[in-house]
Amino acid sequence: MFLGLDGERGCFVAVPEAAPKGGYRPGRANWSVMAGLGSGELAAYGTARALAAWHANHRFCPVCGHASRIAKGGWQRHCGSEDCGADHFPRVDPVAIMLIEHEGRALLGRGLNFPERRYSTLAGFIEPGENIEEAVAREVYEEAGVPVRDVAYIASQPWPFPASLMIGCHGLADSAEIVIDESEMADVRWFTREDVIEALTAREAGRDGEAFDAPPLTAVANWLMRWWVEKG
């Protein structure tokens, strides 16, 4: 499929015949590749990965079940049935990712599949019928039992695992009491600004932090933490 032009050079990505076993979850090799890419290259890589995964997972028309084919350079699939002929387009899944604070501390969590000391900002998919603010409040309350108010949008980032749009937000909590949803989270806790600064500094130096291990530099969660530290 056609990704676009880099100057006068056309850029393409090969579309796999089927999704790999286990899906398109990021592995250590992915993180190593992403860490060495510039912003333009990273955007191209993310686009290629997301679209390749979509094509591999949507080889058949969801309307009638007939085989579909690539159309418009890979930015569409067309049902091959004369009776159907439906067109389908790449999906993007909106995800709210939020840094919640209370009295100068940040609420961070460790998912069930996270490395032992890795903590990040909480996140979750936005559900049908929700706005961003409602999704932030619901996800934080579900995962940590913390009521949230004054939600504000900060920044966004496409995240190709497999095709999410991470919508970064900030919010305030009225209570520090935590009730962890153990079906989703291994741990959730409050960290001081000094803890977060130390973890971010260690990540930039390529080592693990003492308080916790911060998310990769390429992740919007890392950016949200840096934004929170800098705003004071």
Side-chain angles (χ1 to χ4, degrees), residues 122-155:
L122 303 186
F125 289 102
I126 298 175
E127 296 183 351
E130 285 185 324
N131 60 33
I132 296 172
E133 294 84 356
E134 290 169 338
V136 168
R138 176 185 54 77
E139 282 290 341
V140 174
Y141 193 76
E142 286 180 356
E143 295 181 353
V146 175
V148 173
R149 60 176 171 85
D150 297 343
V151 175
Y153 167 80
I154 305 300

Side-chain angles (χ1 to χ4, degrees), residues 170-211:
H170 171 262
L172 300 177
D174 288 323
S175 170
E177 183 177 353
I178 295 174
V179 180
I180 300 174
D181 178 2
E182 295 182 353
S183 68
E184 291 192 46
M185 306 300 297
D187 189 27
V188 180
R189 64 177 69 175
W190 296 99
F191 289 91
T192 66
R193 195 175 302 275
E194 290 72 23
D195 289 335
V196 176
I197 291 173
E198 187 276 326
L200 291 173
T201 302
R203 176 58 59 216
E204 291 176 0
R207 54 182 174 81
D208 297 336
E210 294 183 8

Side-chain angles (χ1 to χ4, degrees), residues 4-217:
L5 293 174
D6 180 10
E8 296 183 354
R9 181 182 62 176
C11 299
F12 300 83
V13 61
V15 176
E17 294 183 359
K21 187 176 181 180
Y24 282 89
R25 297 176 182 175
R28 184 169 298 177
N30 297 116
W31 298 124
S32 297
V33 169
M34 292 170 66
L37 297 179
S39 59
E41 294 174 319
L42 190 60
Y45 170 77
T47 302
R49 184 180 175 85
L51 288 170
W54 178 73
H55 281 292
N57 288 322
H58 292 79
R59 293 172 296 136
F60 299 92
C61 175
V63 177
C64 71
H66 195 280
S68 62
R69 65 176 184 271
I70 293 177
K72 294 189 176 180
W75 291 86
Q76 180 177 320
R77 291 191 74 89
H78 181 74
C79 176
S81 169
E82 294 182 359
D83 296 328
C84 179
D87 292 322
H88 307 286
F89 301 89
R91 61 178 292 171
V92 175
D93 300 314
V95 176
I97 181 166
M98 42 276 177
L99 192 148
I100 306 301
E101 70 171 293
H102 178 264
E103 297 182 352
R105 295 186 298 169
L107 185 67
L108 305 178
R110 184 166 64 83
L112 297 177
N113 61 338
F114 280 26
E116 187 64 29
R117 299 183 66 256
R118 171 70 52 79
Y119 282 79
S120 183
T121 50
L122 303 186
F125 289 102
I126 298 175
E127 296 183 351
E130 285 185 324
N131 60 33
I132 296 172
E133 294 84 356
E134 290 169 338
V136 168
R138 176 185 54 77
E139 282 290 341
V140 174
Y141 193 76
E142 286 180 356
E143 295 181 353
V146 175
V148 173
R149 60 176 171 85
D150 297 343
V151 175
Y153 167 80
I154 305 300
S156 63
Q157 177 191 39
W159 192 244
F161 298 114
S164 298
L165 175 62
M166 310 299 290
I167 302 172
C169 297
H170 171 262
L172 300 177
D174 288 323
S175 170
E177 183 177 353
I178 295 174
V179 180
I180 300 174
D181 178 2
E182 295 182 353
S183 68
E184 291 192 46
M185 306 300 297
D187 189 27
V188 180
R189 64 177 69 175
W190 296 99
F191 289 91
T192 66
R193 195 175 302 275
E194 290 72 23
D195 289 335
V196 176
I197 291 173
E198 187 276 326
L200 291 173
T201 302
R203 176 58 59 216
E204 291 176 0
R207 54 182 174 81
D208 297 336
E210 294 183 8
F212 66 94
D213 293 341
L217 298 177

